[in-house]
Amino acid sequence: PLPILYVHHRPQASGAVRSLALLVERLGPRFEPHALVPPGGQATDVLAAAGARVHEGHVSAFTHTWDVQYRGARLLVLGRELALLPAHVRSLRRLLRRLRPVLLHANDAVVLAAGREAHAQGVPVVWHLRCSLGPGRPGRPVRAALERWGRAAVAIDADVASSYALSLPVAVVANPVVPPGEIVPVEVPAGRFVVGHVGYLRRQKGWPALLEAARLLAVEGVDVHLLLAGGGIRPPSFF
């Protein structure tokens, strides 16, 4: 079978890992899935259960250097990722030489270093675009790097795809959802207009803006029922 190497940057069992696991499960016998993930989280278990051979190691990801979460601390986050970079490159280089994959699947645009190293080793790179790219200066070098080191991209929706505006071939594939075994019904008052948000409660996903919109509607007397479903990307014990 042909080896494929998936690179993911978070040890937590986030939605990105779970949708990647569904993709791995459906590869078929022609391919042999391998995954490089940071140690110490549930992502290893999720991908292993899907049939991937998991390799734990440092993964340097420049997520929040262009994100808004840390604001003034962006340079500190950038320093942390740069400090992890040598260990990440060494572990990835060893994997690429040992596995000789036919493809490296970068499970978000933030794992730029993995794409660069794979490109240098002659391995085709496919970017999985899961977060929108902001406009302005931070976005331009990221977009240029994706086009320089990638062969194609997958975007989770048309809005995300349009935020990158890549010249690479881009396919839009929505994140799949598999309901849990037990579904708990939610009581909604009859006759009310319901607006829902499903996903991890991270500020980047926009739920604070949804709460503010609901507050403004309440001030104007609009009868809206707001439904939030999801949890934190880390367990409550983390906080």
Side-chain angles (χ1 to χ4, degrees):
L2 303 174
I4 296 177
L5 179 59
Y6 298 90
V7 178
H8 184 71
H9 60 293
R10 291 187 183 277
Q12 298 87 12
S14 63
V17 166
R18 297 188 184 281
S19 69
L20 179 63
L22 291 173
L23 187 155
V24 169
E25 286 177 359
R26 288 155 176 77
L27 272 182
R30 184 185 174 197
F31 300 100
E32 180 181 85
H34 294 257
L36 174 62
V37 297
Q42 293 177 310
T44 294
D45 299 331
V46 171
L47 291 170
R53 301 185 183 187
V54 180
H55 310 267
E56 291 189 332
H58 294 293
V59 178
S60 186
F62 297 91
T63 313
H64 298 300
T65 56
W66 68 73
D67 208 334
V68 297
Q69 182 176 5
Y70 296 111
R71 296 187 180 181
R74 286 179 183 175
L75 291 179
L76 293 177
V77 177
L78 178 60
R80 181 193 67 186
E81 302 304 336
L82 289 174
L84 287 173
L85 189 56
H88 169 52
V89 171
R90 285 195 301 268
S91 61
L92 179 61
R93 189 172 294 167
R94 286 194 298 266
L95 264 181
L96 291 173
R97 289 173 179 172
R98 179 159 61 89
L99 298 176
R100 298 188 180 277
V102 296
L103 179 73
L104 183 137
H105 180 115
N107 201 36
D108 207 339
V110 298
V111 289
L112 292 172
R116 181 184 186 280
E117 184 61 30
H119 177 76
Q121 299 288 333
V123 178
V125 176
V126 171
W127 306 102
H128 207 137
L129 309 178
R130 298 185 177 276
C131 301
S132 297
L133 183 65
R137 290 183 180 179
R140 287 197 289 268
V142 172
R143 186 179 296 108
L146 297 179
E147 293 193 334
R148 186 182 308 116
W149 300 326
R151 295 280 187 91
V154 177
I156 60 171
D157 60 42
D159 289 335
V160 169
S162 65
S163 73
Y164 287 86
L166 298 176
S167 60
L168 303 174
V170 179
V172 175
V173 180
N175 281 338
V177 176
V178 176
E182 181 182 358
I183 299 178
V184 180
V186 177
E187 295 291 336
V188 177
R192 299 190 74 179
F193 185 74
V194 180
V195 178
H197 179 284
V198 181
Y200 283 109
L201 300 183
R202 298 182 66 234
R203 192 156 63 90
Q204 289 85 347
K205 294 186 179 294
W207 63 269
L210 181 61
L211 288 176
E212 176 62 14
R215 186 190 68 80
L216 294 174
L217 289 172
V219 170
E220 295 179 4
V222 180
D223 194 17
V224 172
H225 190 87
L226 188 62
L227 178 62
L228 298 179
I233 197 168
R234 291 184 169 93
S237 59
F238 175 84
F239 299 97

